[in-house]
Short mmCIF file of all heavy atoms in Angstrom, two decimals:
data_model
loop_
_atom_site.label_atom_id
_atom_site.label_comp_id
_atom_site.label_asym_id
_atom_site.label_seq_id
_atom_site.Cartn_x
_atom_site.Cartn_y
_atom_site.Cartn_z
N MET A 1 -109.10 44.40 -104.96
CA MET A 1 -110.23 45.16 -104.41
C MET A 1 -111.22 44.21 -103.75
O MET A 1 -111.53 43.16 -104.29
CB MET A 1 -110.92 45.94 -105.54
CG MET A 1 -112.18 46.65 -105.08
SD MET A 1 -113.12 47.34 -106.45
CE MET A 1 -112.15 48.77 -106.87
N LYS A 2 -111.66 44.62 -102.57
CA LYS A 2 -112.68 43.85 -101.87
C LYS A 2 -113.89 44.75 -101.66
O LYS A 2 -113.75 45.90 -101.27
CB LYS A 2 -112.12 43.35 -100.53
CG LYS A 2 -112.99 42.30 -99.87
CD LYS A 2 -112.22 41.67 -98.73
CE LYS A 2 -112.92 40.53 -98.02
NZ LYS A 2 -114.25 40.21 -98.35
N ILE A 3 -115.08 44.21 -101.93
CA ILE A 3 -116.30 45.00 -101.82
C ILE A 3 -117.13 44.51 -100.65
O ILE A 3 -117.27 43.30 -100.44
CB ILE A 3 -117.17 44.86 -103.10
CG1 ILE A 3 -116.36 45.16 -104.35
CG2 ILE A 3 -118.40 45.74 -103.01
CD1 ILE A 3 -117.10 44.81 -105.64
N THR A 4 -117.66 45.45 -99.89
CA THR A 4 -118.69 45.09 -98.91
C THR A 4 -119.89 46.00 -99.14
O THR A 4 -119.75 47.13 -99.62
CB THR A 4 -118.18 45.25 -97.45
OG1 THR A 4 -117.70 46.58 -97.27
CG2 THR A 4 -117.09 44.26 -97.14
N VAL A 5 -121.07 45.48 -98.84
CA VAL A 5 -122.28 46.29 -98.96
C VAL A 5 -123.02 46.27 -97.63
O VAL A 5 -122.98 45.29 -96.90
CB VAL A 5 -123.21 45.77 -100.08
CG1 VAL A 5 -122.56 45.92 -101.45
CG2 VAL A 5 -123.63 44.33 -99.85
N ASP A 6 -123.66 47.38 -97.34
CA ASP A 6 -124.45 47.49 -96.12
C ASP A 6 -125.93 47.35 -96.49
O ASP A 6 -126.54 48.30 -97.00
CB ASP A 6 -124.18 48.84 -95.45
CG ASP A 6 -124.88 48.97 -94.11
OD1 ASP A 6 -125.80 48.17 -93.84
OD2 ASP A 6 -124.52 49.88 -93.35
N GLU A 7 -126.46 46.18 -96.25
CA GLU A 7 -127.85 45.92 -96.64
C GLU A 7 -128.84 46.78 -95.86
O GLU A 7 -129.94 47.05 -96.32
CB GLU A 7 -128.19 44.44 -96.43
CG GLU A 7 -127.40 43.53 -97.36
CD GLU A 7 -127.75 42.06 -97.16
OE1 GLU A 7 -128.65 41.76 -96.37
OE2 GLU A 7 -127.11 41.22 -97.82
N ASP A 8 -128.45 47.20 -94.65
CA ASP A 8 -129.36 48.02 -93.84
C ASP A 8 -129.44 49.45 -94.37
O ASP A 8 -130.46 50.11 -94.22
CB ASP A 8 -128.88 48.04 -92.38
CG ASP A 8 -128.94 46.66 -91.74
OD1 ASP A 8 -129.81 45.87 -92.16
OD2 ASP A 8 -128.11 46.37 -90.86
N THR A 9 -128.36 49.90 -94.97
CA THR A 9 -128.32 51.26 -95.51
C THR A 9 -128.90 51.34 -96.91
O THR A 9 -129.49 52.34 -97.30
CB THR A 9 -126.87 51.78 -95.54
OG1 THR A 9 -126.30 51.61 -94.25
CG2 THR A 9 -126.80 53.23 -95.92
N CYS A 10 -128.75 50.27 -97.67
CA CYS A 10 -129.22 50.22 -99.06
C CYS A 10 -130.70 50.56 -99.13
O CYS A 10 -131.51 50.02 -98.39
CB CYS A 10 -128.98 48.83 -99.63
SG CYS A 10 -129.72 48.56 -101.25
N CYS A 11 -131.04 51.48 -100.06
CA CYS A 11 -132.44 51.87 -100.20
C CYS A 11 -133.06 51.28 -101.46
O CYS A 11 -134.16 51.65 -101.86
CB CYS A 11 -132.56 53.39 -100.19
SG CYS A 11 -131.71 54.20 -101.55
N GLY A 12 -132.31 50.36 -102.10
CA GLY A 12 -132.88 49.66 -103.25
C GLY A 12 -133.01 50.49 -104.51
O GLY A 12 -133.83 50.19 -105.37
N ALA A 13 -132.19 51.52 -104.63
CA ALA A 13 -132.29 52.40 -105.79
C ALA A 13 -131.90 51.69 -107.08
O ALA A 13 -132.36 52.05 -108.16
CB ALA A 13 -131.41 53.62 -105.58
N GLY A 14 -130.99 50.72 -106.99
CA GLY A 14 -130.63 49.93 -108.16
C GLY A 14 -129.58 50.55 -109.06
O GLY A 14 -129.25 49.99 -110.10
N SER A 15 -129.04 51.69 -108.68
CA SER A 15 -128.02 52.32 -109.51
C SER A 15 -126.80 51.43 -109.68
O SER A 15 -126.20 51.39 -110.76
CB SER A 15 -127.58 53.64 -108.87
OG SER A 15 -128.70 54.39 -108.49
N CYS A 16 -126.44 50.71 -108.65
CA CYS A 16 -125.26 49.85 -108.73
C CYS A 16 -125.48 48.71 -109.73
O CYS A 16 -124.55 48.34 -110.46
CB CYS A 16 -124.93 49.28 -107.35
SG CYS A 16 -126.28 48.35 -106.59
N VAL A 17 -126.69 48.20 -109.78
CA VAL A 17 -126.98 47.09 -110.70
C VAL A 17 -126.93 47.58 -112.15
O VAL A 17 -126.43 46.88 -113.04
CB VAL A 17 -128.38 46.50 -110.39
CG1 VAL A 17 -128.69 45.33 -111.30
CG2 VAL A 17 -128.46 46.09 -108.93
N MET A 18 -127.41 48.79 -112.37
CA MET A 18 -127.37 49.36 -113.71
C MET A 18 -125.93 49.61 -114.14
O MET A 18 -125.58 49.44 -115.30
CB MET A 18 -128.11 50.70 -113.74
CG MET A 18 -129.52 50.61 -113.23
SD MET A 18 -130.67 50.15 -114.50
CE MET A 18 -130.84 51.70 -115.34
N THR A 19 -125.09 49.99 -113.18
CA THR A 19 -123.71 50.37 -113.51
C THR A 19 -122.79 49.16 -113.62
O THR A 19 -121.95 49.10 -114.51
CB THR A 19 -123.17 51.33 -112.42
OG1 THR A 19 -124.10 52.41 -112.26
CG2 THR A 19 -121.81 51.87 -112.80
N ALA A 20 -122.93 48.19 -112.73
CA ALA A 20 -122.04 47.03 -112.70
C ALA A 20 -122.86 45.75 -112.49
O ALA A 20 -122.82 45.15 -111.41
CB ALA A 20 -120.99 47.21 -111.61
N PRO A 21 -123.59 45.32 -113.52
CA PRO A 21 -124.48 44.16 -113.37
C PRO A 21 -123.76 42.84 -113.14
O PRO A 21 -124.40 41.87 -112.69
CB PRO A 21 -125.27 44.14 -114.69
CG PRO A 21 -124.42 44.89 -115.66
CD PRO A 21 -123.67 45.92 -114.86
N ASP A 22 -122.46 42.78 -113.42
CA ASP A 22 -121.72 41.54 -113.15
C ASP A 22 -121.38 41.39 -111.67
O ASP A 22 -121.01 40.32 -111.21
CB ASP A 22 -120.41 41.52 -113.94
CG ASP A 22 -120.65 41.36 -115.43
OD1 ASP A 22 -121.69 40.77 -115.80
OD2 ASP A 22 -119.81 41.83 -116.22
N VAL A 23 -121.50 42.48 -110.94
CA VAL A 23 -121.06 42.49 -109.54
C VAL A 23 -122.23 42.63 -108.57
O VAL A 23 -122.19 42.10 -107.46
CB VAL A 23 -120.04 43.63 -109.32
CG1 VAL A 23 -119.58 43.68 -107.87
CG2 VAL A 23 -118.84 43.45 -110.25
N PHE A 24 -123.27 43.36 -109.00
CA PHE A 24 -124.39 43.63 -108.10
C PHE A 24 -125.70 43.14 -108.70
O PHE A 24 -125.91 43.21 -109.91
CB PHE A 24 -124.52 45.14 -107.82
CG PHE A 24 -123.28 45.76 -107.25
CD1 PHE A 24 -122.42 46.50 -108.05
CD2 PHE A 24 -122.97 45.61 -105.91
CE1 PHE A 24 -121.28 47.07 -107.53
CE2 PHE A 24 -121.82 46.18 -105.37
CZ PHE A 24 -120.97 46.92 -106.18
N ASP A 25 -126.58 42.65 -107.84
CA ASP A 25 -127.95 42.32 -108.23
C ASP A 25 -128.85 42.84 -107.11
O ASP A 25 -128.37 43.40 -106.12
CB ASP A 25 -128.09 40.80 -108.40
CG ASP A 25 -129.30 40.43 -109.24
OD1 ASP A 25 -130.09 41.33 -109.61
OD2 ASP A 25 -129.47 39.23 -109.52
N GLN A 26 -130.14 42.66 -107.28
CA GLN A 26 -131.08 43.11 -106.24
C GLN A 26 -132.03 42.00 -105.89
O GLN A 26 -132.44 41.21 -106.75
CB GLN A 26 -131.91 44.29 -106.76
CG GLN A 26 -131.18 45.60 -106.83
CD GLN A 26 -132.05 46.68 -107.44
OE1 GLN A 26 -132.24 46.70 -108.64
NE2 GLN A 26 -132.57 47.56 -106.61
N ARG A 27 -132.43 41.94 -104.62
CA ARG A 27 -133.43 40.96 -104.20
C ARG A 27 -134.76 41.28 -104.86
O ARG A 27 -135.15 42.45 -104.94
CB ARG A 27 -133.60 41.00 -102.67
CG ARG A 27 -132.36 40.56 -101.92
CD ARG A 27 -132.68 40.09 -100.52
NE ARG A 27 -133.29 41.09 -99.68
CZ ARG A 27 -132.81 41.49 -98.49
NH1 ARG A 27 -131.70 40.97 -98.02
NH2 ARG A 27 -133.44 42.39 -97.78
N ASP A 28 -135.45 40.25 -105.30
CA ASP A 28 -136.73 40.45 -105.97
C ASP A 28 -137.75 41.09 -105.03
O ASP A 28 -138.54 41.93 -105.44
CB ASP A 28 -137.28 39.11 -106.47
CG ASP A 28 -136.50 38.60 -107.67
OD1 ASP A 28 -135.88 39.43 -108.37
OD2 ASP A 28 -136.51 37.38 -107.89
N GLU A 29 -137.73 40.68 -103.77
CA GLU A 29 -138.82 41.10 -102.89
C GLU A 29 -138.74 42.55 -102.43
O GLU A 29 -139.77 43.21 -102.29
CB GLU A 29 -138.94 40.16 -101.67
CG GLU A 29 -137.69 40.07 -100.81
CD GLU A 29 -136.71 38.99 -101.26
OE1 GLU A 29 -136.66 38.66 -102.45
OE2 GLU A 29 -135.98 38.49 -100.39
N ASP A 30 -137.54 43.07 -102.21
CA ASP A 30 -137.46 44.43 -101.69
C ASP A 30 -136.40 45.30 -102.37
O ASP A 30 -136.22 46.46 -101.99
CB ASP A 30 -137.22 44.41 -100.18
CG ASP A 30 -135.99 43.61 -99.79
OD1 ASP A 30 -135.22 43.26 -100.70
OD2 ASP A 30 -135.81 43.33 -98.60
N GLY A 31 -135.71 44.75 -103.36
CA GLY A 31 -134.75 45.56 -104.10
C GLY A 31 -133.42 45.77 -103.42
O GLY A 31 -132.55 46.46 -103.94
N VAL A 32 -133.24 45.18 -102.24
CA VAL A 32 -131.97 45.36 -101.53
C VAL A 32 -130.85 44.66 -102.30
O VAL A 32 -131.04 43.60 -102.90
CB VAL A 32 -132.07 44.82 -100.09
CG1 VAL A 32 -130.70 44.72 -99.43
CG2 VAL A 32 -132.97 45.72 -99.26
N VAL A 33 -129.71 45.29 -102.27
CA VAL A 33 -128.56 44.83 -103.07
C VAL A 33 -128.11 43.42 -102.69
O VAL A 33 -128.14 43.01 -101.52
CB VAL A 33 -127.41 45.85 -102.93
CG1 VAL A 33 -126.85 45.86 -101.51
CG2 VAL A 33 -126.31 45.58 -103.94
N ILE A 34 -127.69 42.68 -103.72
CA ILE A 34 -127.04 41.37 -103.54
C ILE A 34 -125.65 41.51 -104.15
O ILE A 34 -125.51 41.92 -105.30
CB ILE A 34 -127.80 40.26 -104.29
CG1 ILE A 34 -129.21 40.11 -103.76
CG2 ILE A 34 -127.04 38.94 -104.19
CD1 ILE A 34 -130.09 39.21 -104.65
N LEU A 35 -124.65 41.17 -103.37
CA LEU A 35 -123.28 41.23 -103.87
C LEU A 35 -122.95 39.91 -104.56
O LEU A 35 -122.91 38.85 -103.92
CB LEU A 35 -122.33 41.50 -102.70
CG LEU A 35 -120.86 41.69 -103.03
CD1 LEU A 35 -120.65 42.82 -104.04
CD2 LEU A 35 -120.07 41.95 -101.76
N LEU A 36 -122.74 39.96 -105.87
CA LEU A 36 -122.48 38.74 -106.64
C LEU A 36 -121.01 38.35 -106.61
O LEU A 36 -120.67 37.17 -106.70
CB LEU A 36 -122.90 38.94 -108.11
CG LEU A 36 -124.38 39.24 -108.37
CD1 LEU A 36 -124.58 39.55 -109.85
CD2 LEU A 36 -125.25 38.07 -107.94
N ASP A 37 -120.14 39.36 -106.52
CA ASP A 37 -118.71 39.09 -106.58
C ASP A 37 -117.97 40.07 -105.67
O ASP A 37 -117.81 41.23 -106.01
CB ASP A 37 -118.23 39.22 -108.04
CG ASP A 37 -116.80 38.75 -108.22
OD1 ASP A 37 -116.13 38.43 -107.22
OD2 ASP A 37 -116.36 38.68 -109.38
N ALA A 38 -117.57 39.60 -104.51
CA ALA A 38 -116.93 40.50 -103.52
C ALA A 38 -115.50 40.85 -103.89
O ALA A 38 -114.96 41.83 -103.38
CB ALA A 38 -116.96 39.85 -102.14
N GLU A 39 -114.89 40.06 -104.76
CA GLU A 39 -113.51 40.35 -105.19
C GLU A 39 -113.44 40.25 -106.70
O GLU A 39 -112.94 39.26 -107.25
CB GLU A 39 -112.55 39.38 -104.50
CG GLU A 39 -112.55 39.53 -102.99
CD GLU A 39 -111.49 38.66 -102.30
OE1 GLU A 39 -110.41 38.47 -102.88
OE2 GLU A 39 -111.76 38.17 -101.20
N PRO A 40 -113.95 41.27 -107.38
CA PRO A 40 -114.06 41.22 -108.84
C PRO A 40 -112.70 41.34 -109.53
O PRO A 40 -111.74 41.85 -108.93
CB PRO A 40 -114.94 42.43 -109.16
CG PRO A 40 -114.65 43.39 -108.06
CD PRO A 40 -114.44 42.55 -106.84
N PRO A 41 -112.62 40.89 -110.79
CA PRO A 41 -111.39 41.04 -111.55
C PRO A 41 -111.09 42.51 -111.83
O PRO A 41 -111.98 43.36 -111.83
CB PRO A 41 -111.68 40.28 -112.85
CG PRO A 41 -113.17 40.22 -112.95
CD PRO A 41 -113.68 40.22 -111.54
N ALA A 42 -109.82 42.78 -112.08
CA ALA A 42 -109.35 44.17 -112.20
C ALA A 42 -110.05 44.94 -113.31
O ALA A 42 -110.23 46.16 -113.22
CB ALA A 42 -107.84 44.16 -112.43
N ASP A 43 -110.49 44.25 -114.36
CA ASP A 43 -111.12 44.98 -115.46
C ASP A 43 -112.49 45.54 -115.07
O ASP A 43 -113.07 46.33 -115.81
CB ASP A 43 -111.22 44.11 -116.72
CG ASP A 43 -112.06 42.86 -116.52
OD1 ASP A 43 -111.95 42.22 -115.47
OD2 ASP A 43 -112.84 42.54 -117.43
N LEU A 44 -113.00 45.13 -113.92
CA LEU A 44 -114.29 45.67 -113.45
C LEU A 44 -114.12 46.77 -112.41
O LEU A 44 -115.10 47.37 -111.97
CB LEU A 44 -115.15 44.54 -112.86
CG LEU A 44 -115.67 43.49 -113.85
CD1 LEU A 44 -116.48 42.43 -113.12
CD2 LEU A 44 -116.52 44.13 -114.95
N TYR A 45 -112.89 47.09 -112.02
CA TYR A 45 -112.67 48.07 -110.97
C TYR A 45 -113.31 49.42 -111.32
O TYR A 45 -113.87 50.09 -110.46
CB TYR A 45 -111.18 48.28 -110.71
CG TYR A 45 -110.50 47.17 -109.94
CD1 TYR A 45 -111.17 45.99 -109.63
CD2 TYR A 45 -109.18 47.30 -109.53
CE1 TYR A 45 -110.54 44.97 -108.94
CE2 TYR A 45 -108.54 46.28 -108.83
CZ TYR A 45 -109.22 45.12 -108.54
OH TYR A 45 -108.60 44.12 -107.86
N GLY A 46 -113.22 49.80 -112.58
CA GLY A 46 -113.75 51.10 -112.99
C GLY A 46 -115.24 51.22 -112.76
O GLY A 46 -115.72 52.20 -112.18
N VAL A 47 -116.00 50.20 -113.22
CA VAL A 47 -117.45 50.27 -113.06
C VAL A 47 -117.85 50.07 -111.60
O VAL A 47 -118.86 50.62 -111.15
CB VAL A 47 -118.19 49.27 -113.98
CG1 VAL A 47 -118.13 49.72 -115.42
CG2 VAL A 47 -117.71 47.86 -113.81
N VAL A 48 -117.07 49.29 -110.86
CA VAL A 48 -117.37 49.10 -109.45
C VAL A 48 -117.17 50.42 -108.69
O VAL A 48 -118.01 50.82 -107.86
CB VAL A 48 -116.50 47.99 -108.83
CG1 VAL A 48 -116.61 47.99 -107.31
CG2 VAL A 48 -116.89 46.63 -109.39
N GLN A 49 -116.10 51.11 -109.00
CA GLN A 49 -115.87 52.42 -108.38
C GLN A 49 -117.00 53.38 -108.72
O GLN A 49 -117.51 54.13 -107.87
CB GLN A 49 -114.52 53.00 -108.86
CG GLN A 49 -114.17 54.35 -108.25
CD GLN A 49 -113.94 54.26 -106.75
OE1 GLN A 49 -113.05 53.53 -106.32
NE2 GLN A 49 -114.73 54.97 -105.96
N GLU A 50 -117.44 53.34 -109.98
CA GLU A 50 -118.54 54.20 -110.42
C GLU A 50 -119.83 53.85 -109.67
O GLU A 50 -120.57 54.74 -109.24
CB GLU A 50 -118.73 54.03 -111.93
CG GLU A 50 -119.63 55.07 -112.55
CD GLU A 50 -119.81 54.84 -114.05
OE1 GLU A 50 -118.95 54.19 -114.68
OE2 GLU A 50 -120.83 55.30 -114.58
N ALA A 51 -120.07 52.55 -109.50
CA ALA A 51 -121.27 52.10 -108.78
C ALA A 51 -121.25 52.62 -107.34
O ALA A 51 -122.27 53.09 -106.82
CB ALA A 51 -121.36 50.58 -108.79
N ALA A 52 -120.09 52.55 -106.71
CA ALA A 52 -119.97 53.06 -105.34
C ALA A 52 -120.21 54.56 -105.29
O ALA A 52 -120.87 55.08 -104.39
CB ALA A 52 -118.60 52.71 -104.77
N ASP A 53 -119.71 55.26 -106.31
CA ASP A 53 -119.85 56.72 -106.35
C ASP A 53 -121.31 57.14 -106.55
O ASP A 53 -121.74 58.16 -106.00
CB ASP A 53 -118.99 57.30 -107.48
CG ASP A 53 -117.50 57.19 -107.19
OD1 ASP A 53 -117.14 56.95 -106.03
OD2 ASP A 53 -116.71 57.34 -108.15
N VAL A 54 -122.06 56.37 -107.35
CA VAL A 54 -123.44 56.79 -107.65
C VAL A 54 -124.46 56.27 -106.64
O VAL A 54 -125.61 56.70 -106.64
CB VAL A 54 -123.88 56.35 -109.07
CG1 VAL A 54 -122.99 56.99 -110.13
CG2 VAL A 54 -123.94 54.86 -109.23
N CYS A 55 -124.05 55.36 -105.78
CA CYS A 55 -124.99 54.81 -104.79
C CYS A 55 -125.52 55.95 -103.90
O CYS A 55 -124.75 56.59 -103.20
CB CYS A 55 -124.30 53.76 -103.93
SG CYS A 55 -125.36 53.17 -102.59
N PRO A 56 -126.82 56.20 -103.92
CA PRO A 56 -127.36 57.33 -103.16
C PRO A 56 -127.31 57.12 -101.65
O PRO A 56 -127.40 58.08 -100.90
CB PRO A 56 -128.81 57.42 -103.65
CG PRO A 56 -129.14 56.06 -104.14
CD PRO A 56 -127.86 55.49 -104.69
N ALA A 57 -127.14 55.88 -101.23
CA ALA A 57 -127.12 55.58 -99.80
C ALA A 57 -125.70 55.38 -99.27
O ALA A 57 -125.50 55.12 -98.08
CB ALA A 57 -127.96 54.34 -99.52
N ALA A 58 -124.71 55.48 -100.15
CA ALA A 58 -123.31 55.22 -99.78
C ALA A 58 -123.19 53.86 -99.09
O ALA A 58 -122.51 53.74 -98.06
CB ALA A 58 -122.76 56.35 -98.92
N ALA A 59 -123.85 52.87 -99.65
CA ALA A 59 -123.90 51.55 -99.02
C ALA A 59 -122.81 50.60 -99.53
O ALA A 59 -122.69 49.48 -99.05
CB ALA A 59 -125.28 50.92 -99.28
N ILE A 60 -122.04 51.06 -100.51
CA ILE A 60 -121.00 50.21 -101.11
C ILE A 60 -119.64 50.70 -100.63
O ILE A 60 -119.30 51.87 -100.81
CB ILE A 60 -121.06 50.27 -102.65
CG1 ILE A 60 -122.43 49.79 -103.13
CG2 ILE A 60 -119.94 49.45 -103.27
CD1 ILE A 60 -122.68 50.02 -104.61
N ARG A 61 -118.88 49.80 -100.02
CA ARG A 61 -117.57 50.16 -99.50
C ARG A 61 -116.51 49.35 -100.25
O ARG A 61 -116.65 48.13 -100.41
CB ARG A 61 -117.50 49.85 -98.01
CG ARG A 61 -116.22 50.30 -97.36
CD ARG A 61 -116.46 50.95 -96.01
NE ARG A 61 -117.36 52.10 -96.10
CZ ARG A 61 -118.16 52.51 -95.12
NH1 ARG A 61 -118.20 51.87 -93.99
NH2 ARG A 61 -118.92 53.58 -95.28
N LEU A 62 -115.49 50.03 -100.69
CA LEU A 62 -114.41 49.38 -101.44
C LEU A 62 -113.13 49.42 -100.61
O LEU A 62 -112.78 50.46 -100.06
CB LEU A 62 -114.17 50.10 -102.77
CG LEU A 62 -115.41 50.31 -103.64
CD1 LEU A 62 -115.03 51.04 -104.91
CD2 LEU A 62 -116.09 48.98 -103.96
N THR A 63 -112.46 48.28 -100.56
CA THR A 63 -111.18 48.21 -99.88
C THR A 63 -110.13 47.83 -100.90
O THR A 63 -110.25 46.79 -101.56
CB THR A 63 -111.21 47.15 -98.77
OG1 THR A 63 -112.35 47.38 -97.94
CG2 THR A 63 -109.96 47.20 -97.92
N LYS A 64 -109.16 48.68 -101.05
CA LYS A 64 -108.08 48.39 -101.99
C LYS A 64 -107.11 47.42 -101.33
O LYS A 64 -106.72 47.62 -100.18
CB LYS A 64 -107.36 49.68 -102.40
CG LYS A 64 -108.31 50.74 -102.94
CD LYS A 64 -108.40 50.70 -104.45
CE LYS A 64 -109.63 51.38 -105.01
NZ LYS A 64 -109.92 52.73 -104.58
N GLN A 65 -106.70 46.38 -102.06
CA GLN A 65 -105.81 45.38 -101.47
C GLN A 65 -104.45 45.43 -102.12
O GLN A 65 -104.31 45.84 -103.23
CB GLN A 65 -106.40 43.98 -101.64
CG GLN A 65 -107.65 43.78 -100.79
CD GLN A 65 -108.24 42.40 -100.99
OE1 GLN A 65 -108.36 41.93 -102.11
NE2 GLN A 65 -108.64 41.76 -99.92
S1 SF4 B 101 -127.05 51.76 -105.56
FE1 SF4 B 101 -126.78 51.63 -103.33
S2 SF4 B 101 -128.83 51.96 -102.51
FE2 SF4 B 101 -129.06 51.41 -104.67
S3 SF4 B 101 -129.34 49.17 -104.70
FE3 SF4 B 101 -127.16 49.59 -104.98
S4 SF4 B 101 -126.31 49.50 -102.89
FE4 SF4 B 101 -128.51 49.75 -102.71
#
C-alpha cells in the first residue's frame, strides 16, 4: 500500500492522526497533515484504511500495490 495526502485539500481536522498516529501527524502551525510513513507495514493497513474513510476532506489516497 502506498499513501498520498493532498495538503491543499486537508482541513486539519486531525481524524487521521487520532485513527493512525503511527502514519499521520499534523503541522503545529496550521494542523495540516504530515505523512510519516507513505508505505506502512501490512499490520497498519486496517487503521490506514479507516483513517482515509473518516477524513472529512477526502485528502488521503491509498494505492494498493
Ligand atoms: S483527517 Fe483528512 S482533513 Fe483531517 S488532518 Fe487528516 S488528512 Fe487532513
Side-chain angles (χ1 to χ4, degrees):
M1 175 189 284
K2 192 168 184 354
I3 307 171
T4 55
V5 294
D6 185 344
E7 294 181 4
D8 296 330
T9 307
C10 172
C11 62
S15 313
C16 57
V17 182
M18 306 273 282
T19 307
D22 291 333
V23 179
F24 303 102
D25 200 355
Q26 285 176 284
R27 294 202 300 236
D28 288 336
E29 59 271 28
D30 55 11
V32 168
V33 67
I34 299 169
L35 184 56
L36 298 175
D37 189 353
E39 297 185 35
D43 61 319
L44 292 179
Y45 285 6
V47 288
V48 168
Q49 181 66 60
E50 192 181 337
D53 291 344
V54 299
C55 174
I60 300 171
R61 185 138 302 152
L62 308 180
T63 309
K64 306 265 161 51
Q65 291 179 316

